Amino acid sequence: MKDNQNGVEVNATTSETSIHTDFKNNMTYGEYLKLDKILSAQRRLSGHHDEVLFIVIHQVSELWMKLILHEMHAAIDCIKKDDLSSAFKKLARVSKTQSQIIQAWDVLSTMTPSEYMEFRDSLGQASGFQSYQYRMIEFALGYKTPHVLKIYEKDPELLKELRQAYEAPGLYDVAIQALNKAGISIDEEVLNRDVTRTYQENDSVRKAWITVYQNPQLYWDLYELAEKLVDIEDWLQQWRFRHMKTVERVIGFKRGTGGSSGVGYLKKVLDQRFFPELWDLRTEL
């Protein structure tokens, strides 16, 4: 580039005399991020060009899911401690992260059916259906399905971690507890429910959220918490829809590599709800 004052060619990097260049005894950016491990993890099982795309998209999605779990678990702890303002920050970050995962499907959808068929058999029975982090997200949102735990019996340590997540109260459980702490009556059967079972909607919870939405100034923190929960479920369903349409675009209605019905299964999960009362009250208000 040229220095505007005298027309002398100036290199932007060399003109910064304080930039560190000697790392013989110091940690580099690549070392901090462990880039040697991350960037060497895209090992194709076929010789097809597009397999790299397939691997990278799924690895990036798993990294985003790791962040979602990190923030969601922290938000659950904050709500338990009645620190709702800190929980809002973390839940907002979850929603922004979800938007990144959704956009990843746009990149994967550039792969055509013919290209995917070139390496699909190399996957064997490996499938996104087996993503344990996705299952942990479902658990944190209160959707508990004990039969999926069987998938992870191959790894006892992972299975132990999943069981802990399965047996822990979810985000909606602690939100309902927060309603009760605020003096809005919740049925004891809900407050003491078996959290290893998928949450079922309850009339006292419905009435509690209606009270919050009818009196937002009085229950502002709970009102904001409710909207954060709606954001998360909304983005999750958009992610599921983009997943379903991408699969349909690439493999049509073929059975998934993991044995599921593929698009048929993905369409069914779109009907799952995590925070039912928060959606139903929109009709009632």
Side-chain angles (χ1 to χ4, degrees):
M1 61 176 285
K2 286 189 176 183
D3 184 318
N4 289 334
Q5 291 184 331
N6 54 31
V8 175
E9 291 287 340
V10 177
N11 182 294
T13 302
T14 57
S15 66
E16 294 286 343
T17 58
S18 62
I19 290 178
H20 297 289
T21 57
D22 183 0
F23 288 94
K24 292 177 182 177
N25 299 307
N26 295 300
M27 178 177 65
T28 65
Y29 168 84
E31 289 170 336
Y32 172 68
L33 294 178
K34 303 294 188 292
L35 290 182
D36 57 334
K37 294 181 179 179
I38 294 174
L39 299 180
S40 63
Q42 295 74 44
R43 297 180 181 177
R44 289 180 289 176
L45 297 179
S46 73
H48 197 273
H49 173 84
D50 282 13
E51 190 180 353
V52 172
L53 164 66
F54 189 82
I55 294 170
V56 167
I57 289 296
H58 287 84
Q59 288 179 339
V60 167
S61 295
E62 289 291 339
L63 285 172
W64 282 130
M65 282 191 272
K66 181 172 184 176
L67 180 59
I68 286 172
L69 286 167
H70 177 70
E71 299 296 340
M72 202 177 289
H73 290 156
I76 289 172
D77 288 340
C78 287
I79 297 169
K80 285 180 179 178
K81 298 172 184 175
D82 301 323
D83 184 6
L84 296 186
S85 60
S86 294
F88 298 155
K89 173 70 173 181
K90 294 167 176 62
L91 294 176
R93 187 173 292 163
V94 168
S95 295
K96 291 295 185 181
T97 307
Q98 288 175 296
S99 72
Q100 297 300 308
I101 298 183
I102 292 169
Q103 290 178 18
W105 294 120
D106 294 336
V107 183
L108 188 59
S109 66
T110 64
M111 184 174 62
T112 68
S114 298
E115 290 162 343
Y116 182 49
M117 287 302 111
E118 290 290 328
F119 65 86
R120 187 177 190 242
D121 287 346
S122 300
L123 304 180
Q125 295 179 333
S127 166
F129 183 85
Q130 298 145 18
S131 168
Y132 66 85
Q133 290 197 121
Y134 178 73
R135 296 302 170 191
M136 291 178 76
I137 289 173
E138 285 191 329
F139 294 167
L141 294 176
Y143 186 73
K144 306 293 181 73
T145 47
H147 64 276
V148 301
L149 293 174
K150 185 174 178 59
I151 297 171
Y152 311 102
E153 290 177 351
K154 180 179 180 179
D155 186 338
E157 285 301 313
L158 174 58
L159 181 59
K160 180 180 178 181
E161 184 179 351
L162 279 158
R163 285 196 182 280
Q164 289 175 345
Y166 180 81
E167 294 169 1
L171 186 58
Y172 203 40
D173 291 308
V174 296
I176 292 171
Q177 294 283 349
L179 288 169
N180 191 63
K181 289 178 184 178
I184 307 175
S185 180
I186 300 293
D187 291 345
E188 285 296 321
E189 65 186 59
V190 178
L191 297 174
N192 300 312
R193 78 180 195 89
D194 180 358
V195 297
T196 66
R197 295 181 179 273
T198 297
Y199 175 79
Q200 300 296 319
E201 51 192 298
N202 173 270
D203 193 55
S204 70
V205 175
R206 179 186 63 82
K207 290 177 180 177
W209 285 124
I210 288 176
T211 298
V212 169
Y213 273 78
Q214 289 177 334
N215 303 275
Q217 297 304 321
L218 182 60
Y219 299 108
W220 183 258
D221 282 351
L222 292 171
Y223 180 69
E224 189 169 357
L225 174 60
E227 286 298 293
K228 289 288 188 288
L229 297 182
V230 171
D231 285 343
I232 288 172
E233 181 164 349
D234 190 352
W235 281 111
L236 182 68
Q237 295 293 46
Q238 290 188 52
W239 180 89
R240 284 174 159 180
F241 179 79
R242 287 297 297 125
H243 183 192
M244 183 268 291
K245 294 306 292 185
T246 301
V247 171
E248 184 177 358
R249 176 172 176 159
V250 177
I251 68 168
F253 287 82
K254 293 185 181 72
R255 186 167 290 277
T257 51
S260 76
S261 58
V263 169
Y265 169 78
L266 296 174
K267 283 185 175 181
K268 283 190 293 185
V269 299
L270 285 171
D271 293 330
Q272 293 173 0
R273 301 203 299 173
F274 300 100
F275 317 130
E277 293 89 355
L278 292 177
W279 292 96
D280 292 343
L281 67 80
R282 276 137 170 88
T283 304
E284 297 185 49
L285 286 175

